[in-house]
Amino acid sequence: MSRNEMSVPHSVQEAVRACAVQAAQSSAALARASDVEIDTALRAMADRLHTARDVLTAANQDDLRSATSSGMSAALQDRLRLTGPRLEDMAAALRTLADVPHEPRDTVLEERPDGLVLLERRRPVGVIGANFEARPNVTLDVASQFLKSRNGGVLRTGSAALRSSQALITHVITPALTDAGLNPDAIQLVPSEDRAAAYALVSLPETVPLVILRGSGDSTRELGREAARHGVRTLAHADGGGVLYVARDADEELVHELVTSSLDRLGP
């Protein structure tokens, strides 16, 4: 049996389904939320990254100890690590997102001579899923983007970052949503460490019709095929890359610096 035909344990399937149902039940109210409520929640998340720093770093240290004992490479551990400066960068990104103007929900495209008005109407998907690698910062990145677009979310991360991600949900995202008057159930984190949870996430077209896939090329492609089999749409990021164009007369030292500085880490 191929991996994309793997049998998902019933307990894992039900855990993912429960997250999807909770997110779906709160998505309608989230769609009606005001711009002020959304941006207030984002700024509250940024503030809580500071006030909850100790508990966040403690959870992250637990993840790092497990990563070390399992033989994770130093480069991947660096990607997993939450430091003070990285938490500050995450908070700055949240405040920047809060300052981004909201797109109008209705835009007039054309007013015809016969009186017919053509409108472009923007509406949330409802619930969007996301499967991503073991990077705690992505948990907050994805959750904040879902919130800004007024979509509920079901997040599934790699097991190596699960403690850190759970701490972000418990001490940053949930209380920030609550304080802003929004239903905290809108953003769900799949609690299972089982990799099969990713396959369960792309098998629920009725509640999670769209899933964002990030990770290694092979696994992302397999999940994309599995999603298509269930009628779930995906936005996939599998194989990354970058291109640097260098002029013949470019400063050699600067070119060297640009290349090396882009390879110092596996992720932000």
Side-chain angles (χ1 to χ4, degrees):
M1 179 180 292
S2 65
R3 285 183 61 191
N4 64 323
E5 295 174 331
M6 71 183 298
S7 176
V8 178
H10 179 73
S11 60
V12 174
Q13 185 74 38
E14 289 306 304
V16 175
R17 190 185 306 277
C19 289
V21 169
Q22 289 190 70
Q25 289 174 341
S26 63
S27 62
L30 188 61
R32 296 190 298 269
S34 69
D35 295 352
V36 171
E37 288 173 323
I38 296 295
D39 294 337
T40 295
L42 292 171
R43 294 188 179 96
M45 288 183 196
D47 293 341
R48 286 182 177 275
L49 282 174
H50 176 73
T51 58
R53 176 174 298 188
D54 289 345
V55 69
L56 295 176
T57 54
N60 187 241
Q61 286 299 314
D62 288 340
D63 279 337
L64 286 167
R65 279 190 287 271
S66 295
T68 301
S69 63
S70 67
M72 179 184 284
S73 69
L76 290 177
Q77 287 187 46
D78 181 60
R79 190 173 72 173
L80 174 62
R81 184 173 290 109
L82 285 178
T83 63
R86 290 179 188 176
L87 289 171
E88 290 300 327
D89 288 343
M90 291 161 65
L94 286 167
R95 294 188 179 101
T96 297
L97 182 59
D99 290 338
V100 173
H102 289 259
E103 293 284 348
R105 300 193 185 192
D106 292 331
T107 302
V108 176
L109 298 180
E110 182 181 356
E111 295 185 13
R112 299 177 60 85
D114 60 3
L116 182 66
V117 178
L118 300 181
L119 292 175
E120 176 186 73
R121 288 191 161 173
R122 296 172 180 265
R123 296 296 182 267
V125 172
V127 177
I128 302 177
N131 182 74
F132 50 92
E133 62 279 19
R135 300 186 191 188
N137 63 294
V138 177
T139 299
L140 204 58
D141 289 344
V142 173
S144 61
Q145 292 289 344
F146 287 169
L147 180 60
K148 186 75 175 188
S149 62
R150 294 180 172 79
N151 284 290
V154 180
L155 284 54
R156 186 267 164 186
T157 187
S159 59
L162 191 55
R163 295 183 186 89
S164 301
S165 296
Q166 287 173 330
L168 285 166
I169 292 287
T170 302
H171 300 285
V172 176
I173 297 173
T174 292
L177 288 170
T178 301
D179 291 348
L182 302 174
N183 190 336
D185 289 342
I187 303 297
Q188 296 287 319
L189 176 69
V190 175
S192 175
E193 295 187 2
D194 197 320
R195 291 184 178 182
Y199 289 85
L201 183 58
V202 298
S203 68
L204 302 170
E206 297 299 323
T207 47
V208 190
L210 174 65
V211 179
I212 297 170
L213 301 175
R214 290 181 50 166
S216 66
D218 289 341
S219 65
T220 296
R221 280 186 284 271
E222 287 183 3
L223 285 170
R225 288 191 289 269
E226 181 71 2
R229 192 170 73 84
H230 291 281
V232 172
R233 296 178 181 271
T234 58
L235 294 174
H237 171 75
D239 300 308
V243 177
L244 175 66
Y245 294 94
V246 180
R248 292 180 182 275
D249 59 349
D251 181 88
E252 183 177 344
E253 185 175 331
L254 176 59
V255 172
H256 179 77
E257 180 183 349
L258 289 172
V259 172
T260 55
S261 63
S262 69
L263 300 176
D264 61 346
R265 299 186 60 226
L266 289 179

